[in-house]
C-alpha cells in the first residue's frame, strides 16, 4: 500500500502534464500507466513527429474546438499554445513551425518529446508505476484505487486515461467505467478525425490519388450544409481520408439517424462560368482529340476513367462532338462531385474520441468533479475534441495543467 497526495491515472500527454504540474506544487505524486512505457499515443501523433500544439492564440485554439469549446476557455487561456511552446523549450525540446501553424520538435521525433517528459518527471520525483486500474472509490478519507496487485490511497486523483481510439496504445475506454462508477454521465464515445467509408465504388478506383487545394461541402439528409473547407484529401480502397476529410468527420456524428454526403469541388479557384469558358476553349483547341485525352489537361490520370463513366460521354468521343448538355454534366462533376458517406471507419482508427465524461459535471476552472470533489479529469477522457493541427494535444496540455495544479492545491488544503 502507498499513501500519496496526488495519484494520476494515465501516462499520456494529459497525465504527464498533470503529474508534472502537481509535483511543481510540492506534492508527492504517483503516475500510474498500464503500458511499460509512457506516452504510447504520443509516439504516433503527427505521423511519429508529434504535432505538439498550434502556433496561435487561445481564442484561435478555441475556434478549432468542435465540441464544448466554452468549457475549455479557462484552461486554454491560462495555459495557451505560447506557454506550451515555452514549456517544452525549457524541457530541452527545440521547436519549429510548419504549414498551418503546426508546431513540431526540430528533430521530427516524437520520442524526443516523450524522453523530455520522462526526464522532467524523474527530476520532479514523480513515482511512475505500471498497472491497470480495476476499481476506484472515494470517501472522506480520500481516493482508493485498485490495480489487482496494489491498492493506492491518495488524497486526490486525476483521471487522464484517454478515450478509446488507437486501443493498442492503452486507450481502451476503461476510464469511462471508472468515471461512471463515481456517478458521472458518459456521453457515448464516437470516432472523430477519422477516414470515411464511401457508398460509391469509384473512390476505390482512384485509390492512392491525393488531391490538393480542393474544396468540399458536407450536407445532411435535409441538404443542410454543415461544413465546408478547402485543403487536401486522399482516395482509398474504402473511400476517403486526408486532412480535409478528417476535419469533416468531426461534424458527422449522427449516422444512426442522418445521411451525409459531400460535394467535391475539383476547381475551387474557378467560378462555374470561368471553368465553362475554359472547357469550351479546350474542346475547341483539341477538337479532334478523344474526350478521355482532353481530360488529361483537367484532372489527374486516375480520375479520368471515373469522369468518363459518370459524365456518360464516351471515352473516344471527339471533343468537337460533345454537346452543350454533356459539357454541362462535366462541369457539374468538376464543381460538385457527389460522394455519399456510408459511415466512419472503426473507432479504433480514429485520431481522437468524441464523447466521454459530460463536462456539465466538471468545474471548467479546475477540472474537478462536481460530484466527487477529490477527483479531477484531463484530456481525451472528457467530452471535448478539436480539428487536426495540434489542437487536441493543446487540450491535453491545458486540461492536464489545470487538473494537476488544482489537485495539488486540494491535497495541500487537506481536501477542502
Amino acid at each position: 500500500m502507498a499513501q500519496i497526495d496526488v495519484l494520476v491515472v494515465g501516462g499520456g500527454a494529459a497525465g504527464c502534464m498533470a503529474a508534472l504540474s502537481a509535483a511543481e506544487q510540492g506534492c508527492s505524486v504517483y503516475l500510474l500507466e498500464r503500458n511499460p512505457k509512457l506516452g504510447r499515443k504520443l509516439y504516433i501523433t503527427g505521423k511519429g513527429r508529434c504535432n505538439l500544439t498550434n502556433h496561435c492564440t487561445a481564442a484561435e485554439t478555441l475556434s478549432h474546438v468542435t465540441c464544448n469549446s466554452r468549457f475549455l476557455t479557462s484552461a486554454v487561456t491560462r495555459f495557451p499554445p505560447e506557454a506550451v511552446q515555452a514549456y517544452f523549450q525549457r524541457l530541452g525540446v527545440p521547436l519549429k513551425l510548419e504549414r498551418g501553424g503546426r508546431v513540431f520538435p526540430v528533430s521530427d521525433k516524437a520520442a524526443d518529446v516523450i524522453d523530455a517528459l520522462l526526464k522532467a518527471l524523474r527530476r520532479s520525483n514523480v513515482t511512475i508505476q505500471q498497472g491497470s486500474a480495476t476499481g476506484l472509490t472515494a470517501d472522506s478519507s480520500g481516493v482508493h484505487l485498485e490495480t489487482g496487485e496494489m491498492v493506492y490511497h491518495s488524497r486526490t486523483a486525476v483521471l487522464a486515461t484517454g478515450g478509446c481510439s488507437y486501443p493498442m496504445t492503452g486507450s481502451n475506454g476503461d476510464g469511462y467505467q471508472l468515471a461512471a462508477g463515481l456517478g458521472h454521465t458518459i456521453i457515448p464515445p464516437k470516432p472523430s478525425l477519422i477516414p470515411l467509408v464511401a457508398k460509391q465504388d469509384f473512390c476505390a478506383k482512384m485509390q492512392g490519388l491525393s488531391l490538393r487545394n480542393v474544396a468540399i461541402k458536407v450536407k445532411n439528409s435535409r441538404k443542410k450544409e454543415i461544413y465546408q473547407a478547402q485543403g487536401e484529401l486522399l482516395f482509398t480502397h474504402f473511400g476517403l481520408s486526408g486532412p480535409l476529410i478528417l476535419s469533416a468527420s468531426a461534424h458527422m456524428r449522427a449516422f444512426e439517424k442522418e445521411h451525409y454526403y459531400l460535394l467535391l469541388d475539383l476547381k475551387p479557384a474557378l467560378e462555374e462560368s470561368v471553368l465553362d469558358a475554359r472547357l469550351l476553349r479546350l474542346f475547341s483547341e483539341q477538337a479532334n482529340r478523344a474526350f478521355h485525352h482532353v481530360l488529361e489537361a483537367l484532372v489527374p490520370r486516375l480520375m479520368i476513367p471515373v469522369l468518363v463513366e459518370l459524365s456518360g460521354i464516351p471515352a473516344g468521343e471527339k471533343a468537337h462532338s460533345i454537346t452543350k448538355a454533356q459539357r454541362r454534366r462535366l462541369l457539374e462533376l468538376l464543381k460538385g462531385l457527389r460522394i455519399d458517406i456510408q459511415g466512419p471507419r472503426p473507432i479504433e482508427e480514429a485520431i481522437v474520441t468524441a464523447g466521454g465524461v459530460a463536462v456539465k459535471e466538471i468545474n471548467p476552472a479546475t477540472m474537478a468533479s462536481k460530484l466527487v470533489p477529490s477527483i479531477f479529469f484531463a484530456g481525451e477522457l472528457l467530452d471535448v475534441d478539436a480539428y487536426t493541427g495540434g489542437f487536441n494535444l493543446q487540450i491535453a496540455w491545458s486540461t492536464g495543467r489545470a487538473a494537476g495544479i488544482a489537485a495539488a492545491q486540494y491535497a495541500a488544503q487537506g481536501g477542502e
Side-chain angles (χ1 to χ4, degrees):
M1 290 189 179
Q3 176 67 51
I4 52 184
D5 293 326
V6 178
L7 172 64
V8 179
V9 187
C16 287
M17 182 58 72
L20 286 167
S21 300
E24 285 177 11
Q25 310 301 309
C27 289
S28 61
V29 181
Y30 269 55
L31 177 57
L32 182 68
E33 165 58 37
R34 66 186 307 139
N35 293 309
K37 293 184 178 181
L38 298 179
R40 280 286 301 277
K41 194 172 182 181
L42 275 172
Y43 275 109
I44 61 175
T45 59
K47 297 180 180 179
R49 297 170 59 218
C50 195
N51 183 186
L52 271 175
T53 184
N54 194 283
H55 187 70
C56 64
T57 65
E60 289 169 329
T61 297
L62 294 169
S63 73
H64 285 80
V65 175
T66 54
C67 182
N68 294 317
S69 61
R70 287 186 63 187
F71 169 79
L72 292 168
T73 301
S74 177
V76 172
T77 300
R78 284 184 291 138
F79 197 53
E82 181 182 4
V84 169
Q85 292 171 67
Y87 187 92
F88 279 96
Q89 286 172 330
R90 287 197 302 271
L91 292 187
V93 182
L95 303 176
K96 63 178 178 178
L97 186 62
E98 294 191 3
R99 176 177 53 87
R102 290 168 168 82
V103 178
F104 292 90
V106 169
S107 66
D108 282 332
K109 294 179 180 178
D112 288 351
V113 175
I114 299 161
D115 289 345
L117 288 170
L118 184 58
K119 289 176 182 177
L121 289 165
R122 289 170 175 163
R123 285 196 303 268
S124 301
N125 295 317
V126 173
T127 301
I128 301 170
Q129 296 280 295
Q130 184 181 358
S132 300
T134 57
L136 178 67
T137 59
D139 53 33
S140 58
S141 65
V143 177
H144 316 286
L145 184 141
E146 298 178 19
T147 65
E149 301 174 354
M150 188 81 173
V151 178
Y152 295 90
H153 300 286
S154 62
R155 297 183 185 277
T156 184
V158 178
L159 299 185
T161 55
C164 50
S165 57
Y166 293 118
M168 71 283 193
T169 65
S171 298
N172 63 357
D174 57 1
Y176 301 135
Q177 298 175 3
L178 297 177
L182 297 170
H184 278 281
T185 302
I186 306 300
I187 307 301
K190 294 182 179 181
S192 188
L193 304 186
I194 189 166
L196 299 171
V197 180
K199 288 188 176 181
Q200 291 95 336
D201 63 359
F202 61 69
C203 288
K205 294 176 181 178
M206 296 184 283
Q207 178 180 350
L209 175 60
S210 178
L211 299 178
R212 292 187 177 185
N213 300 318
V214 294
I216 61 169
K217 291 180 180 179
V218 179
K219 297 190 176 185
N220 61 18
S221 308
R222 299 177 300 283
K223 298 183 178 180
K224 178 182 178 182
E225 186 178 305
I226 59 173
Y227 180 73
Q228 65 171 335
Q230 188 168 327
E232 182 180 345
L233 64 76
L234 172 71
F235 290 101
T236 70
H237 67 283
F238 55 78
L240 297 164
S241 188
L244 196 55
I245 297 304
L246 297 181
S247 293
S249 73
H251 298 269
M252 304 182 198
R253 299 188 176 180
F255 279 102
E256 66 280 0
K257 60 181 180 181
E258 285 276 16
H259 169 71
Y260 300 102
Y261 65 95
L262 63 84
L263 299 175
L264 172 59
D265 186 347
L266 296 166
K267 305 290 181 180
L270 301 178
E271 296 290 338
E272 273 198 12
S273 59
V274 176
L275 181 56
D276 191 35
R278 180 180 174 186
L279 291 178
L280 269 172
R281 185 172 64 254
L282 194 61
F283 291 164
S284 175
E285 292 171 348
Q286 303 188 35
N288 292 315
R289 295 198 76 196
F291 174 56
H292 69 102
H293 286 311
V294 177
L295 284 178
E296 293 172 0
L298 290 169
V299 296
R301 179 181 54 81
L302 277 176
M303 186 168 274
I304 291 175
V306 172
L307 287 181
V308 167
E309 180 182 351
L310 295 177
S311 69
I313 304 172
E317 186 83 15
K318 298 298 184 183
H320 66 77
S321 300
I322 295 174
T323 66
K324 183 178 180 180
Q326 288 175 322
R327 192 180 79 247
R328 179 65 196 175
R329 174 58 180 155
L330 176 60
L331 181 64
E332 290 172 350
L333 290 171
L334 292 172
K335 293 296 291 181
L337 176 60
R338 175 168 172 151
I339 303 174
D340 292 274
I341 305 303
Q342 183 173 310
R345 291 287 288 174
I347 193 169
E348 292 81 8
E349 297 179 24
I351 292 178
V352 295
T353 308
V357 177
V359 297
K360 65 180 180 180
E361 298 166 355
I362 309 295
N363 183 322
T366 63
M367 298 295 134
S369 166
K370 293 179 180 179
L371 310 180
V372 186
S374 57
I375 300 293
F376 297 75
F377 294 90
E380 197 177 342
L381 182 58
L382 293 162
D383 181 25
V384 290
D385 57 277
Y387 294 133
T388 58
F391 300 106
N392 286 289
L393 267 183
Q394 177 62 46
I395 291 174
W397 307 129
S398 293
T399 56
R401 182 85 174 157
I405 291 173
Q409 292 173 345
Y410 182 93
Q413 293 165 5
E416 297 180 3

